[in-house]
């Protein structure tokens, strides 16, 4: 259940995701190079496409890291109803 305090209490493994993305980028680049040298253009294109997806993900992760812990959702995100201990509030309360 969401409490409405997520921006101040939530933690995200962005640094882990950053390093996993870097690892994936290295493997996708190596795969593209290896399949190109081996004369497998289909596999090289697949690795190249994967490399583009991983690069876009890396850019998004870096953007979120640079926003820092003070990120707040935009005005289009409504506030959350506070947690009432697992009970729904009665009408009129």
């Amino acid at each position: 259940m969401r409490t409405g305090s997520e921006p101040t209490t939530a933690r995200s493994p962005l640094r882990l995701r950053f390093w996993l993305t870097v690892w994936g980028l290295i493997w996708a680049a190596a795969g593209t190079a290896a399949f190109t040298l081996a004369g497998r253009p289909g596999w090289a294109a697949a690795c190249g496409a994967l490399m583009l997806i991983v690069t876009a993900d890396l850019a998004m992760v870096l953007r979120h890291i640079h926003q820092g812990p003070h990120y707040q959702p935009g005005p289009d995100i409504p506030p959350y109803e506070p947690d009432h201990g697992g009970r729904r509030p009665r009408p009129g309360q």
Side-chain angles (χ1 to χ4, degrees):
M1 176 94 193
R2 296 183 128 177
T3 64
S5 64
E6 280 82 5
T8 58
T9 60
R11 298 291 178 254
S12 177
L14 284 175
R15 302 252 186 246
L16 173 65
R17 188 169 165 193
F18 169 78
W19 289 111
L20 288 174
T21 304
V22 168
W23 181 250
L25 188 62
I26 291 168
W27 275 102
T32 302
F35 283 122
T36 300
L37 292 174
R40 301 288 206 152
W43 284 104
C47 285
L50 181 62
M51 191 167 55
L52 290 175
I53 293 169
V54 170
T55 302
D57 185 47
L58 181 62
M60 187 179 70
V61 168
L62 285 174
R63 180 176 179 266
H64 283 268
I65 288 173
H66 286 286
Q67 283 179 338
H70 302 291
Y71 168 75
Q72 295 291 319
D76 56 331
I77 308 294
Y80 300 112
E81 180 68 28
D83 186 17
H84 297 288
R87 295 173 281 147
R88 293 188 140 292
R90 286 184 262 165
Q93 281 188 326

